[in-house]
Amino acid sequence: MSERAAPFYCPYCGDEDLRPNEQGHGAWECAACNRAFQLKFLGLLARGVRQDNGGGNEI
């Protein structure tokens, strides 16, 4: 299994001083604003891959 992805900055204050939180997978805490938050991957969107066959000029 791969390592968890780390956020680059706090979504509340924008600071980069983040640490993993003890609440579990995806939980982080910000030392600057003293907030805890959790990140969660929800899934892929159904419209994720589109083919564009819309009449462009071919070279």
Side-chain angles (χ1 to χ4, degrees):
M1 185 173 222
S2 64
E3 293 182 32
R4 62 178 155 185
F8 294 110
Y9 56 88
C10 174
Y12 298 100
C13 72
D15 199 84
E16 298 177 355
D17 191 8
L18 302 176
R19 297 180 181 106
N21 187 281
E22 296 177 2
Q23 293 295 321
H25 184 72
W28 294 88
E29 57 188 50
C30 176
C33 68
N34 202 32
R35 289 186 171 129
F37 58 94
Q38 188 167 13
L39 302 177
K40 182 177 178 182
F41 177 71
L42 298 177
L44 298 174
L45 299 175
R47 64 178 188 265
V49 178
R50 289 191 203 169
Q51 292 183 357
D52 185 18
N53 296 332
N57 293 337
E58 294 184 20
I59 298 177

